[in-house]
Amino acid sequence: MTPEQLEQNFDAKLQRNESIEPKDWMPDNYRKHVIRQVSQHAHSEIVGMLPEGNWITRAPSMRRKMVLIAKVQDEAGHGLYLYSAAETMGISRDELLDQLHTGKAKYSSIFNYPTLTWADIGAIGWLVDGAAIMNQVMLQRTSYGPYARAMVRICKEESFHQRQGYEIMQVLSKGTVAQKEMAQDALNRWWWPSLMMFGPPDAESPNTANAVKWKIKRESNDQLRQRFVNTTVPQAEYLGLTVPDKDLKWDESKKAYDFGTPDWEEFNNVIRGNGPCNKERLGARVGAHKKGAWVREAAAAYAEKKNKKAAA
Ligand code: 3HC
């Protein structure tokens, strides 16, 4: 087939909503785009384990500790599915991790904020996992097959994460005055960074046009952000908490909330590496990777020995 025919086939598959599979022909830029997005997503999952992991030893009860351990472990699993999906594009795990460790690849801005109180664990589940699901539901239909299939399982688990976070917030907001204040303080600190998770406004998003054309993203950053606000504000009202946005108001004609503008300068600063915890997070990941070298070496030596035995 000529290059033109290959491209026509690829476009026709997308038109028919068929998934693109690892051995299919695809434009180089599509491959690069998917590797970039899937690997950033994988990095977000494993860096996201750090702020929550900080609270495992301080969880307020055995039940809370068990649930939090399970949640953090789920995130590691999500990272593994996503690294595997990225590897089907022909890039190695080592290369992907190297991109994270050298700061070449991004991970979600949200994980560069500190978890100061137990209520932050509730707010992360409710808002951060809530925002993640809002985005990831559409990714179950993303055009790259291995990514879409990984997202089906991830969404089920994220949905449980969101509920456990909301339940923590419910308990705190119906608790003592001090507990309710703690819940409000967590909402105040996590609200705007959660809105930033959806990425820059559409007009300033360099990747959205191609992502939508190639059906990698099915909806834009602003569409998803709006849906998140519409869904989450009534949940905050139910808790008796106040969303920290003086411009927030329901617009009956649009059947949607108008809301204020996130601080995009803060967002850009965080993704450039200058957020409150960027250095700590990256330092922890690089340190864990170095400490784990002996495990990788032992596994490789064992596999080599096994292969030699099988070949003999
Ligand atoms: N944090 C860090 N970087 C971000 C960002 C964020 N919140 N939002 C955008 N960016 C980066 C982009 O990666 C891009 O950088 P690059 O070109 O150097 O790669 C740049 O800012 C411009 O943004 P675009 O809008 O053009 O980028 P995208 O079209 O890729 O949209 C996205 C950004 C919405 C995050 C998209 O990549 C996406 O949907 N990714 C998959 C989902 C994902 O990564 N989620 C992470 C959330 S956390 C999570 O899932 C863990 C869970 O346990 C909570």
Side-chain angles (χ1 to χ4, degrees):
M1 267 200 251
T2 64
E4 289 74 28
Q5 284 168 327
L6 288 168
E7 187 130 18
Q8 277 165 9
N9 266 357
F10 172 83
D11 289 340
K13 270 193 144 195
L14 289 180
Q15 282 312 313
R16 294 193 299 269
N17 273 324
E18 281 174 25
S19 60
I20 306 300
E21 295 297 334
K23 289 188 177 154
D24 291 346
W25 184 91
M26 61 189 85
D28 259 1
N29 284 342
Y30 175 87
R31 185 184 299 277
K32 281 190 195 134
H33 195 119
V34 171
I35 292 176
R36 178 191 65 83
Q37 178 166 327
V38 179
S39 63
Q40 289 184 4
H41 194 165
H43 301 327
S44 305
E45 299 284 352
I46 58 161
V47 175
M49 296 166 72
L50 297 169
E52 292 186 281
N54 279 344
W55 277 89
I56 289 175
T57 53
R58 290 176 287 170
S61 71
M62 181 58 96
R63 176 177 166 263
R64 293 290 187 202
K65 193 191 288 276
M66 280 160 43
V67 173
L68 185 57
I69 289 172
K71 178 178 192 279
V72 171
Q73 207 168 305
D74 284 352
E75 308 297 4
H78 299 173
L80 292 180
Y81 310 150
L82 291 166
Y83 282 125
S84 300
E87 283 171 308
T88 63
M89 283 291 205
I91 183 163
S92 72
R93 183 83 56 105
D94 283 347
E95 240 177 298
L96 294 169
L97 289 176
D98 192 59
Q99 289 175 355
L100 171 67
H101 297 156
T102 55
K104 268 191 232 146
K106 297 188 172 76
Y107 58 86
S108 185
S109 50
I110 194 76
F111 299 120
N112 293 305
Y113 292 86
T115 40
L116 304 179
T117 70
W118 173 250
D120 288 11
I121 299 303
I124 289 182
W126 170 35
L127 301 173
V128 174
D129 289 274
I133 303 170
M134 201 55 82
N135 186 357
Q136 291 170 2
V137 164
M138 71 160 180
L139 293 175
Q140 294 177 107
R141 293 181 296 115
T142 190
S143 57
Y144 188 55
Y147 190 24
R149 291 189 285 276
M151 291 318 302
V152 172
R153 182 153 175 193
I154 292 177
C155 278
K156 290 200 170 92
E157 291 175 352
E158 297 291 16
S159 151
F160 158 76
H161 296 172
Q162 195 271 352
R163 282 169 200 203
Q164 69 83 38
Y166 194 64
E167 198 253 345
I168 292 176
M169 294 303 274
Q170 265 178 300
V171 171
L172 292 176
S173 56
K174 307 268 178 280
T176 63
V177 172
Q179 285 172 325
K180 186 165 181 184
E181 276 171 5
M182 201 196 284
Q184 180 65 55
D185 171 60
L187 171 58
N188 293 348
R189 284 180 292 106
W190 290 93
W191 176 255
W192 291 106
S194 297
L195 296 194
M196 294 173 194
M197 282 176 72
F198 295 95
D202 292 352
E204 288 155 38
S205 157
N207 300 302
T208 291
N210 274 341
V212 171
K213 177 180 86 177
W214 286 324
K215 300 192 175 179
I216 297 168
K217 278 174 29 172
R218 300 269 176 170
E219 287 175 278
S220 73
N221 300 357
D222 286 335
Q223 284 171 321
L224 292 165
R225 191 170 9 252
Q226 178 72 59
R227 184 165 321 128
F228 175 76
V229 172
N230 292 349
T231 309
T232 312
V233 170
Q235 295 171 353
E237 282 166 3
Y238 180 79
L239 295 175
L241 300 179
T242 307
V243 171
D245 178 355
K246 61 178 176 27
D247 297 320
L248 185 74
K249 66 171 188 313
W250 178 253
D251 182 333
E252 185 54 32
S253 64
K254 289 194 274 182
K255 299 264 182 255
Y257 284 95
D258 288 332
F259 56 98
T261 307
D263 182 345
W264 293 117
E265 206 177 311
E266 174 183 320
F267 169 78
N268 286 323
N269 214 20
V270 172
I271 66 172
R272 269 191 232 113
N274 303 319
C277 299
N278 294 59
K279 289 184 181 61
E280 188 184 330
R281 301 288 183 245
L282 212 51
R285 282 304 328 155
V286 172
H289 191 72
K290 280 190 187 148
K291 276 194 203 145
W294 71 270
V295 180
R296 292 188 297 279
E297 282 159 19
Y302 176 73
E304 199 184 322
K305 204 171 156 192
K306 216 172 147 194
N307 287 344
K308 270 191 194 151
K309 218 171 153 187

